[in-house]
Each structure stands twice: as structure tokens, then as C-alpha cells.
Amino acid sequence: MSRTRTALLSALALVAGGTGTALAAVPQDIAAVPCTVDYKVQNQWDTGFTTAVTVTNNGAAKSSWAVKWSYAGNQKVTSGWNARISQSGANVTAANETYNGTLATGGSVSFGFQGSYSGSNALPATFTLDGVTCNVDDGGGGPGPGNPGPSGRVDNPYSGARVYVNPEWSANAAAEPGGSRVSNQPTGVWLDRIAAINGANGKMGLRAHLDEALRQKGSGELVVQLVIYNLPGRDCSALASNGELGPTEIDKYKTQYIDPIAAILGDSKYASLRIVTTVEIDSLPNLVANTGSRPTATPQCDTMKANGNYVKGVGYALNKLGDVANVYNYVDAGHHGWIGWDDNSGASADLFKQAATAEGATVNDVHGFITNTANFSALKENNFTINDNVAGKSVRESKWVDWNRSVDELSFAQSFRNQLISVGFNSGIGMLIDTSRNGWGGAARPSGPGATTSVDTYVNGGRYDRRIHVGNWCNQSGAGLGERPKAAPATGIDAYVWMKPPGESDGSSSAIPNDEGKGFDRMCDPTYTGNPRNGNSMSGALPNAPLSGHWFSAQFQELMRNAYPAL
């Protein structure tokens, strides 16, 4: 049974203009807590605030519901959504709409509202669901507003925490000339095959990393970032990062890969760590963008869509890993140059919801999503926007944007987060953006907009992302380190992260025999003239690259040279 992501209230002081949150906690015995209410102030200003509320029902299934609370101050609800909200004095009632009255056992429902206040905006102390008090156990002695459980999830795991520095990556970086400038940065630990769990070829295994994380943690909070990446038929639209498991080996994925990882993460020895998982990059988006009659389709992706093993695998991983109280699952959500188009984004959100409710998982097993993992899309394009018009044409008509709805990762992550919430993900989900290689600094970085002679000269002259085509993904020439890892950098964004360790290759420039299941992809060959997925353009890849995941010194040096912000 998947553990629900519950949130128990803490009387946190809220600063005007800041963001407040309820302290999240997972009860030791979830069955003893009849219901939980996660009440989060998302935005607050001098006289008003917006709040997101998620209610989880652990009792008998309901066909209608009503949540009640009281304010200690003069807060007034002025408008709401996804619930019928009324207020009498300090007392507030939020009842279901006609379309969301069903609330199954273990199910959740989310709604939100805007309110006004003066003075302080203290969190409500008590909530009831149909007259039953939430956030406390039936006997009154369990986790509650003043007694949070010992292994509680917080709203943003990166807030108030340091992040694990992988000593193996750090040593590689420090050995490079000038590498000591970034060798203390946190990066993701990639579990990209079964052997990586226990350690292979002299590398640290998962337990070794977690033990080192405890040492780094000391008395503070520490986040450990893991990449869960070994689906059957992995990366169906590429060859460089193909995995060890065949398209039908879903049982092996479950029993020999996910189950052992979950068992290690569930060891009480590691309960004090905040473990962030990036779940299966480049999988679900492939089922949307590279299947069927699309010119970008591949037979391998059609196979994985037909057999359902990407959906089953992701659901199983979310379920099993979500059972561990201190694990925060973030599902890979591609990047703006992949699913930012109208016909991709909606279908992707629906598919993510399908996977998040497969194999025993629920949306409560998803803490958020991550975009741009191991990719190069610019964080923020400042020299043009999607709303600009040049020479009588919209920016969307330029060859570079090509009718996409987003021009950079930050705008995509924020808008796609709203779309994910609209299809049923919890309103408190946060986004991560991988900024390890999307800096695009150096001498080639434009200092302002391009010429307005045409929409293409305008966009191409001003864009920071210097790739030949937005579909190019392998060891890109001219790329630079991006924003350094940072917690809560923008609205809806839990953190900028370096999930892809800079300097680790995306794939080899030519075929290299190996026992890691990694093939040769022409997109990593600098002489390759492309395919429909990159507009039949040159690959833009660096020469002389090693196998994916192996250290690529020339790339690391280029990333440092072109870093933005500069080193």
C-alpha cells in the first residue's frame, strides 16, 4: 500500500510578502489518522494571501465532503476554486463541488482560495472533515499540530538544507585545471544499472553514498539526489543511453532494481536524510513525442507504448519509493523543446497522471517534477518573449521556436506545473530545473536582442541557447555551466539542481564496445547531419567523447569556459 504524503500543521510565523507552509509529516501509523489537511499559504502580501489545501481521507469512502476550520485573526476568504467556500465570522466551510464529491479511502482532493487579512495571518489550528478532527490519531496522542512525526516530509526538501557532494564526481572535477572552483557543488548520483546499486568497477554503491551523506550531514539537514534510470527498453528514441533491460523485462526491473533500492532507502539508519529521486528521465515524454504517425516516431518507442512497461515501471517505482517516509519523488518531465508544444504538453500531463496512478501508486507519491535533466535548454531567454512580434510575424513562427508555447525552461516549468495540477496532481507540487549545462556564457553570449529585419534574425541574434537545433542533446559544443544549485529560486520552483554531473559524457562520438548496454547514437557524432527529431540538422556534438556517464575532460573544460554566471 502506498504511503500518502500527509502534511501536519505547525504554527509557523508568516512574514508579509513571504511564503508560509505547513510542516509536512508522515504518521507512524497512517491508519490511526482519519484524515489529513495540508494547508499552505503560497503567496502573501501586505493585505492578502493565496492558499492551497489538500485533504486526504483515510476513513470510509465519501460521495460528498466538507472541511471546516476557524481563524484566530481577521482573515476573510474572498474567492475560491474547486470548492464551495463560505464563511461566518471566523468559521470557514469548504464543501465539494458537483464534480469532485467522490473521496475514496486513501484518496485526496485539492482546492484553493484567495483571502484578505491585516496584522498577522496565523495558520488555523484545527481542521475537521465531516465533523472528524484531522491531523491527529484516533486516541489523540499521535502526530498532530504540536507533535509532528519524527520522519516528516517538508514542503520543499531543499529549503534549509545542504545538498550531498558526490566525492567521486568532486575528485574528477578537482583534478581538472580550474576545477576546484566548482568541485564542491552537489550533483546527482546516477543509478543507471543494477550493478550500480552495490557499486561496480570500483565505484561507490548506494549504501556507500548514503553513509558518506550521513557524514556530510552532521547536525544539519542534507538532501541526497538520486537518479532512478533503468526502465525496460530505456530511452527508446536514442541509442547512447540504452539500458541493460530489454523491453519486456519489467519483472526484473521491479525485483532486481527498484525493490533493492527501496530496501536500502528504507533502512532506518538513513531516516534523517532527505532523499530526492529523479524518476526515469527520457521515458514518458518519449511515449508522447516519438510514437505513432509522427515523423519523429521510432519502432522502439511504439513498442514501449504498446506494452505499457514505461507506465508500469514508473508507477511501480513511485509506489515503492514513495513508501519510504523521507523520499521525495520528482518525475522527469522532459524539457520545453520536447513537450512545450500544444499537442505534446496536454498529452504529457495526462500520461504522467496515468503513470502516477499505476501499479499501486497515487499522486501523493509524487512530490514534484524535474525538467531539463541532462539537457541544455536555457533557463531564461531575456532578449525575446513568446509574445513578441517582428516584421509582422510572431516569435512562435521563427524556425528556432517553431510554434512552441515556451522559449525557455523557467517559463515552461512554471506553466507546465499549473497544467499538471489541473489534471489532478496535488497543488503543492514543486519543480526542479537542471541547470548543470544550460549557462551558454562566454564570448558567444548575445548582449541584447537580434536585428528586427525578420523574426529569425531577431530570435537567432538574441537567443542565449546556441545549439543548432533545440532537438540536439548530445555533448553540445559551446555549452556552459548554468546557475549554481539553489533552493527556492522562483515561484513554483523547489530548486535549481545539477542533476547531470557536468563533465560526464552523454554518449560516445563513435562506437565503443562495452558491457554497460550502451549503444552508439549518431546524435553524438559531430559529422552527423541529423534526423526528423533535430530538423535534419548537424548534431552539434563535441568530438572524441567517451561512453555515456564516463568522464569527458574536454567537455568539462568547455563548460567552465562558457559558464554563466561566469566562474
Side-chain angles (χ1 to χ4, degrees):
M1 182 67 178
S2 181
R3 184 186 300 272
T4 56
R5 175 186 172 194
T6 59
L8 309 184
L9 292 171
S10 175
L12 302 178
L14 302 180
V15 180
T19 299
T21 180
L23 180 66
V26 176
Q28 294 301 294
D29 179 7
I30 195 166
V33 181
C35 51
T36 60
V37 175
D38 180 1
Y39 177 107
K40 288 194 291 289
V41 175
Q42 295 187 310
N43 296 290
Q44 182 170 305
W45 55 98
D46 290 344
T47 60
F49 64 102
T50 60
T51 297
V53 182
T54 298
V55 182
T56 301
N57 171 39
N58 297 318
K62 300 175 180 293
S63 59
S64 63
W65 51 265
V67 178
K68 296 183 179 182
W69 67 88
S70 297
Y71 286 119
N74 61 358
Q75 296 97 323
K76 300 290 184 185
V77 175
T78 56
S79 62
W81 46 92
N82 293 336
R84 292 176 288 112
I85 303 176
S86 58
Q87 184 169 358
S88 176
N91 303 316
V92 180
T93 299
N96 63 276
E97 295 281 9
T98 55
Y99 55 81
N100 62 359
T102 301
L103 190 52
T105 302
S108 297
V109 66
S110 298
F111 61 90
F113 62 88
Q114 182 168 317
S116 64
Y117 78 102
S118 62
S120 64
N121 184 21
L123 297 173
T126 303
F127 296 89
T128 64
L129 174 61
D130 296 337
V132 176
T133 301
C134 299
N135 299 339
V136 295
D137 68 18
D138 290 336
N147 184 27
S151 57
R153 287 187 182 93
V154 294
D155 181 58
N156 181 355
Y158 290 86
S159 292
R162 293 183 299 115
V163 187
Y164 175 64
V165 177
N166 181 347
E168 294 179 318
W169 177 84
S170 182
N172 284 333
E176 295 282 346
S180 61
R181 293 174 294 176
V182 295
S183 59
N184 64 338
Q185 292 292 344
T187 54
V189 174
W190 286 55
L191 302 175
D192 62 355
R193 52 187 173 136
I194 292 169
I197 300 171
N198 292 321
N201 300 326
K203 285 196 168 188
M204 297 168 66
L206 178 55
R207 281 194 179 274
H209 280 295
L210 296 177
D211 289 340
E212 170 62 15
L214 288 175
R215 188 194 69 78
Q216 292 184 20
K217 177 181 183 298
S219 59
E221 299 291 346
L222 187 86
V223 171
V224 179
Q225 302 175 129
L226 305 177
V227 177
I228 308 300
Y229 186 45
N230 200 28
L231 275 177
R234 187 180 76 190
D235 211 347
C236 59
S237 68
L239 297 174
S241 49
N242 285 167
E244 63 186 349
L245 301 179
T248 63
E249 293 187 279
I250 185 67
D251 290 338
K252 189 173 182 180
Y253 173 80
K254 292 177 178 180
T255 60
Q256 297 186 35
Y257 180 68
I258 293 299
D259 288 355
I261 292 174
I264 293 172
L265 299 186
D267 189 331
S268 60
K269 178 181 181 182
Y270 307 121
S272 64
L273 298 170
R274 299 178 182 178
I275 301 171
V276 164
T277 62
T278 293
V279 178
E280 295 295 356
I281 63 172
D282 295 350
S283 59
L284 299 176
N286 266 312
L287 301 187
V288 173
N290 297 317
T291 56
S293 60
R294 293 168 181 257
T296 56
T298 70
Q300 295 88 349
C301 289
D302 283 332
T303 294
M304 297 316 300
K305 184 173 184 178
N307 69 25
N309 283 340
Y310 278 5
V311 169
K312 294 173 186 174
V314 170
Y316 189 84
L318 292 173
N319 180 20
K320 291 297 182 180
L321 301 177
D323 282 345
V324 182
N326 55 314
V327 166
Y328 300 78
N329 287 321
Y330 289 80
V331 180
D332 181 76
H335 54 83
H336 90 274
W338 191 349
I339 59 175
W341 281 271
D342 295 337
D343 54 353
N344 287 352
S345 58
S348 295
D350 291 338
L351 183 62
F352 295 157
K353 175 69 177 302
Q354 180 186 349
T357 52
E359 299 291 313
T362 76
V363 293
N364 297 309
D365 290 312
V366 178
H367 203 85
F369 291 79
I370 180 169
T371 78
N372 207 45
T373 310
N375 201 59
F376 299 85
S377 295
L379 179 66
K380 185 73 177 78
E381 292 284 9
N382 293 320
N383 292 328
F384 63 96
T385 75
I386 201 68
N387 299 315
D388 291 352
N389 287 277
V390 175
K393 289 189 175 183
S394 163
V395 156
R396 295 190 71 198
E397 297 180 70
S398 67
K399 292 179 181 178
W400 174 256
V401 177
D402 190 27
W403 296 102
N404 203 308
R405 281 288 178 189
S406 299
V407 298
D408 53 36
E409 282 307 297
L410 181 56
S411 63
F412 167 70
Q414 290 173 323
S415 63
F416 194 54
R417 175 180 178 272
N418 292 332
Q419 191 156 22
L420 291 161
I421 293 170
S422 75
V423 300
F425 285 98
N426 292 334
S427 59
I429 58 171
M431 306 295 284
L432 305 178
I433 301 176
D434 189 346
T435 59
S436 57
R437 305 183 302 176
N438 69 350
W440 295 104
R445 184 179 178 88
S447 58
T452 56
T453 49
S454 73
V455 71
D456 286 319
T457 58
Y458 177 70
V459 171
N460 289 332
R463 60 182 168 94
Y464 299 139
D465 188 337
R466 306 311 297 168
R467 286 178 293 175
I468 298 169
H469 188 276
V470 73
N472 286 350
W473 55 266
C474 193
N475 301 323
Q476 289 299 285
S477 176
L481 299 170
E483 287 278 353
R484 314 310 178 246
K486 181 187 306 182
T491 301
I493 310 299
D494 281 352
Y496 296 152
V497 297
W498 283 8
M499 202 61 71
K500 170 71 174 182
E504 293 188 2
S505 174
D506 295 315
S508 58
S509 302
S510 58
I512 299 176
N514 67 93
D515 62 356
E516 300 177 31
K518 297 170 181 175
F520 168 54
D521 195 302
R522 290 296 305 279
M523 288 295 289
C524 300
D525 175 359
T527 69
Y528 184 48
T529 56
N531 56 53
R533 288 183 293 284
N534 79 329
N536 296 298
S537 304
M538 296 297 291
S539 70
L542 291 168
N544 304 314
L547 287 173
S548 63
H550 291 225
W551 189 254
F552 190 6
S553 175
Q555 182 197 54
F556 187 72
Q557 289 293 329
E558 181 156 326
L559 291 172
M560 289 195 296
R561 280 195 302 272
N562 296 327
Y564 190 89
L567 299 179

